[in-house]
């Protein structure tokens, strides 16, 4: 079997969640597949082939590499691999723990909190690469207040400082940026 493509989390370069989706594209449908973060597949078992598979990444920040091979009977494919950067977010606020702890003694800053009262939200500071504990770091001009719809939090602001309206929508399973 020949594997055409392996995609992690719809092609995203980074993830804040350990649980991601692995999507496979192959010309022929193999019988089985084996997936592992270990290049030698230590401890991995053959399992029935599926086009998509939910994978739980190992703990700890950093680049995660998943290795995959397919087989039909005794014929095995070459090993394919895909990588994604995992940034741990244990408090599920869309801000990587490592970034929060670099600026504050705990994980209390949320995406819509303004830790330095400069008018720039935590998520904006993270995207811009500015310090959320030292203000002012940008224009922080809000075009509309934050608001909540059900389990989603939304903010409309000029995140990039280009004078255009940008939007962030954060839910339990997504972050959407419209910049």
């Amino acid at each position: 079997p020949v594997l055409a493509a392996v995609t992690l989390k719809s092609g995203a370069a980074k993830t804040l969640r350990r649980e991601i989706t692995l999507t496979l594209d192959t010309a022929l449908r193999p019988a089985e597949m084996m997936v592992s973060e270990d290049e030698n597949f230590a401890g991995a078992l053959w399992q029935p082939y599926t086009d998509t598979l939910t994978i739980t990444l190992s703990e700890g920040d950093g680049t995660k590499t998943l290795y995959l091979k397919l087989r039909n009977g005794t014929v095995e494919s070459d090993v394919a691999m895909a990588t994604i950067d995992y940034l741990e977010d244990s408090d599920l606020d869309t801000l990587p723990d490592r970034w929060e702890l670099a600026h504050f003694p705990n994980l209390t800053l949320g995406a819509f909190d303004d830790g330095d009262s400069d008018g720039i939200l935590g998520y904006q500071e993270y995207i811009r690469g500015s310090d959320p504990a030292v203000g002012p770091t940008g224009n922080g001009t809000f075009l509309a207040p934050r608001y909540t719809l059900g389990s989603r939090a939304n903010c409309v602001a000029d995140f990039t400082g280009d004078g255009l309206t940008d939007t962030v929508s954060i839910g339990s399973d997504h972050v959407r940026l419209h910049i």
Side-chain angles (χ1 to χ4, degrees):
V2 176
L3 187 60
V6 178
T7 306
L8 300 177
K9 198 176 175 193
S10 301
K14 298 178 182 178
T15 183
L16 296 174
R17 305 289 180 259
R18 284 182 58 211
E19 192 170 275
I20 62 169
T21 301
L22 171 73
T23 306
L24 307 174
D25 181 15
T26 181
L28 301 173
R29 188 160 183 87
E32 296 174 299
M33 60 195 275
M34 186 181 291
V35 181
S36 178
E37 281 190 62
D38 182 285
E39 64 184 317
N40 296 313
F41 295 88
L45 301 172
W46 288 104
Q47 58 187 315
Y49 175 83
T50 181
D51 292 331
T52 59
L53 180 67
T54 300
I55 300 288
T56 301
L57 299 172
S58 60
E59 292 183 10
D61 279 354
T63 301
K64 306 295 181 178
T65 303
L66 286 176
Y67 300 91
L68 172 84
K69 58 184 174 178
L70 309 172
R71 79 175 175 189
N72 271 332
T74 59
V75 179
E76 287 186 19
S77 70
D78 290 335
V79 174
M81 63 181 226
T83 61
I84 192 164
D85 286 329
Y86 170 56
L87 304 171
E88 188 171 6
D89 179 26
S90 62
D91 58 352
L92 305 177
D93 64 359
T94 71
L95 299 174
D97 293 353
R98 181 177 15 161
W99 183 82
E100 285 182 81
L101 293 172
H103 300 287
F104 297 101
N106 53 45
L107 300 175
T108 58
L109 181 75
F112 292 118
D113 295 332
D114 183 0
D116 53 10
S117 301
D118 65 356
I120 302 173
L121 301 179
Y123 193 76
Q124 290 174 281
E125 301 262 22
Y126 170 65
I127 293 296
R128 289 180 176 187
S130 56
D131 190 332
V134 179
T137 56
N139 71 6
T141 304
F142 287 91
L143 305 174
R146 72 179 189 216
Y147 57 94
T148 302
L149 295 173
S151 63
R152 291 186 337 204
N154 299 277
C155 184
V156 179
D158 181 6
F159 290 93
T160 56
D162 62 4
L164 302 174
T165 302
D166 306 317
T167 306
V168 173
S169 171
I170 300 174
S172 61
D173 65 344
H174 73 276
V175 174
R176 291 190 181 93
L177 300 174
H178 302 281
I179 296 177

